[in-house]
Amino acid sequence: MALIYPRLLQQGKTHPVYPQNNKHININTAERIFSVAAGSFLLYSGIKHLFKNPFVAVSKAVAGGTLLIRGTSGYCPAYAALGKDGTQNEAINIKQYFTINKSRAEVFAFWRKFENLPMFMRHLQSVEKKGDNLWHWKAKFAGGVPAISWNAEIVKEEENHFIGWQSIKGSVIVNTGKVEFNDAPNGQGTEVQLVFSYHLPGGGVGTGIGWLINPLVENLIREDVRNFKRYMEAGEVPVTSI
């Protein structure tokens, strides 16, 4: 860069495309690491094969250099043009649809009493009511990992039909969710739609590993759904130890 823009650097100005300012960082940590690693590989490969296949080698070197600048500066011109901020922790959404052979009022009443949820959700240790519209949740994990607690409130409710909730500001786990209850066709019980959204802690790093964590959480919730269905239909209390 010093060879290409010597006057700008001598005058203390920034690169016209890659500004050297933390305010302009729009790539998360995981993506920056990947860019540096991939850029280094392409640049090395381009230099190594410069005389063997100049056109391909130069293309690799240019691409590698671009990725290196992208990773080291933390700035992506394409993201900037699209108005995207890659440092923001995007929500991870999980949806589950299932049918329970019980009346809508019965299914709604059981779910609405959040204290019941740890009976079939193996990752929940407890849910305690703290106020008219506030509950304290505690999640447990395997391997001696300390439990995590947060508070959540109901933001929308329609009796026998809909419950929507969200964690309150400052919670360790930022999450929102909704569960909708509808009559199944031909009187075949209740159709339930569960939507759960959460943000991984850790900012950009959390976003970067979200694609790894999401299948694990989705499988856990899918198992919770099966446990809930089994409990409501057969009265079986599943084993919740993890």
Side-chain angles (χ1 to χ4, degrees):
M1 289 177 63
L3 293 176
I4 300 175
Y5 298 99
R7 293 182 180 177
L8 288 175
L9 296 177
Q10 289 172 5
Q11 296 171 7
K13 296 181 180 180
T14 60
H15 190 293
V17 179
Y18 295 92
Q20 303 299 310
N21 189 320
N22 288 338
K23 293 181 179 180
H24 293 91
I25 291 177
N26 60 2
I27 304 174
N28 65 52
T29 303
E31 193 172 349
R32 291 181 69 176
I33 293 173
F34 174 81
S35 295
V36 170
S40 300
F41 172 78
L42 287 174
L43 185 60
Y44 170 77
S45 179
I47 295 174
K48 183 178 180 180
H49 299 93
L50 183 60
F51 298 103
K52 184 177 181 180
N53 193 332
F55 178 78
V56 174
V58 170
S59 298
K60 285 184 176 181
V62 171
T66 301
L67 284 173
L68 275 173
I69 295 173
R70 184 178 188 270
T72 55
S73 69
Y75 179 79
C76 176
Y79 280 7
L82 294 172
K84 177 179 178 180
D85 185 357
T87 64
Q88 296 300 312
N89 203 357
E90 298 179 357
I92 297 175
N93 302 306
I94 296 174
K95 297 181 180 180
Q96 290 289 313
Y97 302 88
F98 53 101
T99 301
I100 295 179
N101 191 23
K102 289 289 183 178
S103 70
R104 181 154 54 101
E106 187 175 357
V107 177
F108 177 91
F110 184 87
W111 188 287
R112 176 60 177 80
K113 190 175 181 180
F114 293 134
E115 295 90 332
N116 289 331
L117 300 186
M119 296 177 64
F120 60 87
M121 290 188 169
R122 63 194 299 260
H123 66 286
L124 281 180
Q125 180 173 320
S126 63
V127 180
E128 299 178 7
K129 189 172 184 179
K130 293 296 184 180
D132 292 338
N133 201 35
L134 185 67
W135 281 262
H136 182 73
W137 301 64
K138 182 178 289 187
K140 58 184 178 180
F141 303 94
V145 178
I148 295 178
S149 301
W150 69 94
N151 292 321
E153 60 183 351
I154 292 179
V155 294
K156 183 178 180 180
E157 180 177 2
E158 297 177 21
E159 188 174 0
N160 296 333
H161 177 60
F162 184 92
I163 304 172
W165 69 91
Q166 68 179 16
S167 58
I168 66 173
K169 186 177 181 180
S171 296
V172 175
I173 298 180
V174 179
N175 66 89
T176 61
K178 67 177 183 178
V179 58
E180 187 173 342
F181 308 85
N182 292 293
D183 293 327
N186 303 318
Q188 298 298 313
T190 303
E191 292 182 340
V192 182
Q193 175 184 345
L194 173 64
V195 179
F196 182 68
S197 302
Y198 67 96
H199 295 258
L200 288 172
V205 176
T207 301
I209 65 173
W211 66 277
L212 291 173
I213 301 296
N214 191 49
L216 301 178
V217 177
E218 189 168 8
N219 287 336
L220 190 62
I221 292 179
R222 187 179 296 114
E223 183 177 346
D224 289 342
V225 165
R226 288 196 297 264
N227 289 339
F228 177 52
K229 178 178 173 66
R230 185 164 66 246
Y231 181 84
M232 291 299 300
E233 293 181 345
E236 298 178 5
V237 180
V239 178
T240 58
S241 60
I242 58 175

